[in-house]
Amino acid sequence: MTSTQHIHRRGPKPVRGAAQLPAARKRVLQAIADLGGRDVTITQLANHLDQHPNAARQHLDLLERDGLISVGDVRTTGPGRRPRGYTLTPRADVALGRTPDEAHDLAGVFASYLVATGAGRNEAQEIGRMWGSNRAGQLAREDSDHIDAVVEVLDILGFEPERATTSEGEALILRTCPLLDLAHENPEFICQIHQGLIDGVLRRLGASEGVELLPFSDPDGCRARLGSTHPSGGERDVAV
């Protein structure tokens, strides 16, 4: 294979890290973190970077587009128009390397333990279900659409999910994977944990009728096929 040839691997991409950001954009993202990470105004940012506010605006738009920051009005007590504030998203923590490496290592240890003890799909899925149930319990909007709730949890965790409708029903495309290297090494366990994660969110909201995760099945990611979902008023034990 020549140096100009590239191998295209199907499936999700690694979560974008700070090393993949242009240097100027990375400085802006880091500056928001340095200023507390929440409701940072363009004036505060410009003063911190010692530059004109217009110099940062384009970078802020791109950071918002990539889901690394959110934008909203900052509450003030005085009269006049509220300034816009920039807040880091959970994905920014990953991009800035603020997610502990220990979490990644621990996931690898779990996978190795499951392999060594001869545990199978059910055990891996159950770990994921407990994880998903815990995450669903932390959502601020428990009355939201059930699939939107799954999307919210997966987005927080760095999967960059997209909703899709197929002939077989609702589906999600997971465009990135925070444990991609481990998923390639132990897909039978890591991917089953992620399947359980989705199922755990739906169960917590009383809406699971089956989840099937198809690892690396889509050119842009992993596809999660969701069974019919409907509220039932609480958790139910539904086999995956």
Side-chain angles (χ1 to χ4, degrees), residues 170-189:
E170 290 275 8
L172 297 174
I173 305 299
L174 312 186
R175 297 191 295 118
T176 62
C177 178
L179 298 176
L180 186 59
D181 56 335
L182 297 178
H184 281 304
E185 293 173 7
N186 292 297
E188 66 273 30
F189 295 104

Side-chain angles (χ1 to χ4, degrees), residues 195-213:
Q195 175 170 311
L197 166 67
I198 297 171
D199 188 55
V201 175
L202 291 171
R203 286 187 182 214
R204 180 64 179 260
L205 300 175
S208 178
E209 289 290 355
V211 177
E212 182 182 15
L213 181 64

Side-chain angles (χ1 to χ4, degrees), residues 16 21 24-34 36-42 45 56-72 84-96 98 155 160:
R16 177 177 297 211
L21 294 175
R25 205 180 310 167
K26 178 181 175 181
R27 285 196 297 272
V28 172
L29 188 66
Q30 184 61 57
I32 296 173
D34 293 342
R38 176 175 292 277
D39 292 336
V40 177
T41 67
I42 188 70
L45 192 59
R57 291 188 191 278
Q58 183 177 3
H59 298 301
L60 290 169
D61 289 342
L62 293 172
L63 290 169
E64 182 185 10
R65 181 203 67 185
D66 289 341
L68 296 171
I69 61 173
S70 60
V71 186
R84 302 289 278 169
Y86 301 91
T87 298
L88 299 180
T89 67
R91 191 178 299 169
D93 289 333
V94 177
L96 290 171
R98 305 201 304 182
D155 191 55
E160 293 191 19

Side-chain angles (χ1 to χ4, degrees), residues 22 34-35 41 48 58 62 72-73 77 82 93 95-96 107 117 138-139 151 153 203 212 215-216 228-229:
D34 293 342
L35 292 168
T41 67
H48 184 79
Q58 183 177 3
L62 293 172
D73 292 334
T77 57
R82 291 180 176 180
D93 289 333
L96 290 171
T117 57
Q138 298 173 16
L139 293 179
V151 169
V153 169
R203 286 187 182 214
E212 182 182 15
F216 315 113
S228 59
T229 59

Side-chain angles (χ1 to χ4, degrees), residues 98-110 131 178-179 182 190:
R98 305 201 304 182
T99 300
D101 290 338
E102 287 80 1
H104 178 278
D105 293 343
L106 187 57
V109 171
F110 276 145
W131 185 17
L179 298 176
L182 297 178
I190 297 299

